[in-house]
Amino acid sequence: MTDLRSTLPARALAARDMAYAPYSKFRVGSALLTADGTVYTGCNVENASYGGAICAERTAVVKAVSEGHQKFTAIAVASDLTTFCSPCGICRQFMSEFGTDLEVIMVTTDGQTSIHTLDSLLPYSFGPKDL
Ligand SMILES: [Zn+2]
């Protein structure tokens, strides 16, 4: 059986190639592993109305939720940076809706990884527990 988690960095890098980023030229890809062993990839999709853009992480989460998944174990995020690409604040909040124990794997262009929990990236988060 393939260790799906170990495939996430490469899948995020591959998903990055699908990015639609004609304005920023900043391509990002993600690969999200669900608790039941499904992987959803995502890329950033920009818009001429700049505020309409969506990040790679949220693309993957939206794809997964729309297919019936709400429990996630890990997400890898990759860009064209040789340094680690960290999820933006909106994505941290968006992902925290489904659990702050999510493993966030930041990936460089040459495949190095830096691993964090979402809780460490978004401490004292506001979420479903607060409502
Ligand atoms: Zn983002």
Side-chain angles (χ1 to χ4, degrees), residues 93-111:
Q93 176 65 36
F94 196 87
M95 293 186 292
S96 76
E97 181 74 17
F98 303 99
T100 57
D101 58 345
L102 180 71
E103 184 179 42
V104 178
I105 306 166
M106 301 176 197
V107 185
T108 64
T109 50
D110 63 357

Side-chain angles (χ1 to χ4, degrees), residues 46-105:
E46 295 182 348
N47 191 275
S49 176
Y50 290 3
I54 183 170
C55 300
E57 302 93 313
R58 282 179 285 145
T59 297
V61 171
V62 166
K63 285 171 68 177
V65 171
S66 69
E67 296 294 331
H69 301 276
Q70 296 184 5
K71 295 187 186 328
F72 310 118
T73 59
I75 186 168
V77 184
S79 71
D80 289 315
L81 297 174
T82 56
T83 56
F84 297 111
C85 183
S86 183
C88 79
I90 295 170
C91 286
R92 293 177 193 203
Q93 176 65 36
F94 196 87
M95 293 186 292
S96 76
E97 181 74 17
F98 303 99
T100 57
D101 58 345
L102 180 71
E103 184 179 42
V104 178
I105 306 166

